[in-house]
Amino acid sequence: MNSAKPAIRRAVLPANRHGRDFVVGDLHGCYGPLEQALTAVEFDTARDRLISVGDLVDRGPESLRCLALLDEPWFHAVLGNHEAAMLAHAGDGLQGGTPQAARLHMAVGGEWLDACWPWAENAPLQQLMRRAAGLPHLLRVGDEAVDYHVVHAQLPVNLLGRRWTDKRLEDAWTELDPTVLVWSRSLFTRKPLIQRAWQKGLSPVFCGHTPGKEVRIRQSHVCLDTGLVYGWTGEWNESAITLAEPGAGGVQYHRFELRPKTWVGTGASR
């Protein structure tokens, strides 16, 4: 039995010295609210960058259009658990994965992928799948002085041992388990008694994966999943798409509330 840990992928982006960076939470196929939110903040594709915490696909109405953002030079993303489920469903060579993988993806909103069949004859989908398969698990943004990190779920939490710092991440990122980075929810589901907002020595770690009504900050992790897709479906009365704008003075949050299937409602920045 092969128990080897999956290989981790990391990417590094230099600081954006010509425009602004925006980090966005889980999109889940909701392209319309994203488009309206970017218009509201006057996003400039020639200067600004949009960085996603992953989960571009599933549940919402435009998964393929959100996945196609991977072709844009101003767009960057890390691997989310829904991309992982999508790739497992598609299988090697887009010939189909195991029945178990197909059932798992369909259960979490992957029906849209079947509408693209036959996958192996769909050249645009092939290109997007290749891009998705190469997405990093961990993204560091900044030059010598780290500005921030991006991961889908969280860094490993070890309450009794060493905690992650910028330096430790730089020196020992290969020790990370990709499964934790993509799938774990422990940081945002445990009681907050042991979860301070900021952790000494660790720059902001923007993440998503665990939906909530507001942005949450624990141990330098900033969870930006504010339930976008649940606002579109009408399952939540309070739901939003949130863009975080890191800057020299801290992080500004642009929150745009959702109305069921009518996209963006009111917006506010703070």
Side-chain angles (χ1 to χ4, degrees), residues 149 155 164-173 176 202:
H149 313 275
L155 299 177
W164 292 98
T165 63
D166 293 340
K167 185 178 187 309
R168 187 179 172 208
L169 274 176
E170 189 63 26
D171 294 343
W173 63 269
L176 291 165
L202 182 61

Side-chain angles (χ1 to χ4, degrees), residues 191-210:
K191 293 181 180 179
L193 179 65
I194 52 176
Q195 297 169 354
R196 296 179 180 176
W198 298 105
Q199 183 169 306
K200 185 177 180 181
L202 182 61
S203 297
V205 181
F206 292 105
C207 62
H209 188 53
T210 305

Side-chain angles (χ1 to χ4, degrees), residues 20-39:
R20 302 166 296 168
D21 281 356
F22 294 92
V23 189
V24 65
D26 305 33
L27 293 177
H28 284 301
C30 293
Y31 185 89
L34 173 66
E35 188 174 45
Q36 293 187 43
L38 292 179
T39 298

Side-chain angles (χ1 to χ4, degrees), residues 12-209:
V12 178
L13 282 177
N16 186 355
R17 305 196 185 283
H18 304 289
R20 302 166 296 168
D21 281 356
F22 294 92
V23 189
V24 65
D26 305 33
L27 293 177
H28 284 301
C30 293
Y31 185 89
L34 173 66
E35 188 174 45
Q36 293 187 43
L38 292 179
T39 298
V41 298
E42 299 181 341
F43 186 86
D44 182 350
T45 58
R47 299 167 57 87
D48 300 333
R49 300 187 299 199
L50 180 63
I51 300 171
S52 164
V53 302
D55 277 7
L56 304 175
V57 300
D58 299 344
R59 297 196 173 117
E62 296 185 278
S63 286
L64 194 58
R65 196 172 183 188
C66 285
L67 193 63
L69 287 166
L70 296 176
D71 281 337
E72 299 292 349
W74 44 265
F75 184 81
H76 305 271
V78 295
L79 184 77
N81 63 298
H82 281 261
E83 283 78 56
M86 171 193 72
L87 292 167
H89 182 181
D92 294 337
L94 298 184
Q95 298 299 320
T98 66
Q100 180 183 9
R103 285 194 298 269
L104 173 62
H105 188 220
M106 297 287 279
V108 295
E111 299 91 347
W112 66 273
L113 188 58
D114 273 0
C116 300
W117 182 266
W119 306 324
E121 298 175 16
N122 188 327
L125 181 63
Q126 288 184 50
Q127 177 175 326
L128 291 172
M129 287 289 187
R130 284 194 294 269
R131 289 190 181 278
L135 287 174
H137 302 99
L138 176 67
L139 177 65
R140 192 199 84 181
V141 181
D143 297 310
E144 291 184 7
V146 175
D147 292 323
Y148 59 92
H149 313 275
V150 183
V151 67
H152 179 60
Q154 65 176 69
L155 299 177
V157 177
N158 183 348
L159 300 177
L160 300 177
R162 296 169 60 201
R163 296 193 177 186
W164 292 98
T165 63
D166 293 340
K167 185 178 187 309
R168 187 179 172 208
L169 274 176
E170 189 63 26
D171 294 343
W173 63 269
T174 55
E175 298 176 9
L176 291 165
D177 183 347
T179 302
V180 174
L181 303 184
V182 173
W183 291 92
S184 181
R185 297 187 194 273
S186 64
L187 186 59
F188 290 97
T189 54
R190 287 175 176 164
K191 293 181 180 179
L193 179 65
I194 52 176
Q195 297 169 354
R196 296 179 180 176
W198 298 105
Q199 183 169 306
K200 185 177 180 181
L202 182 61
S203 297
V205 181
F206 292 105
C207 62
H209 188 53

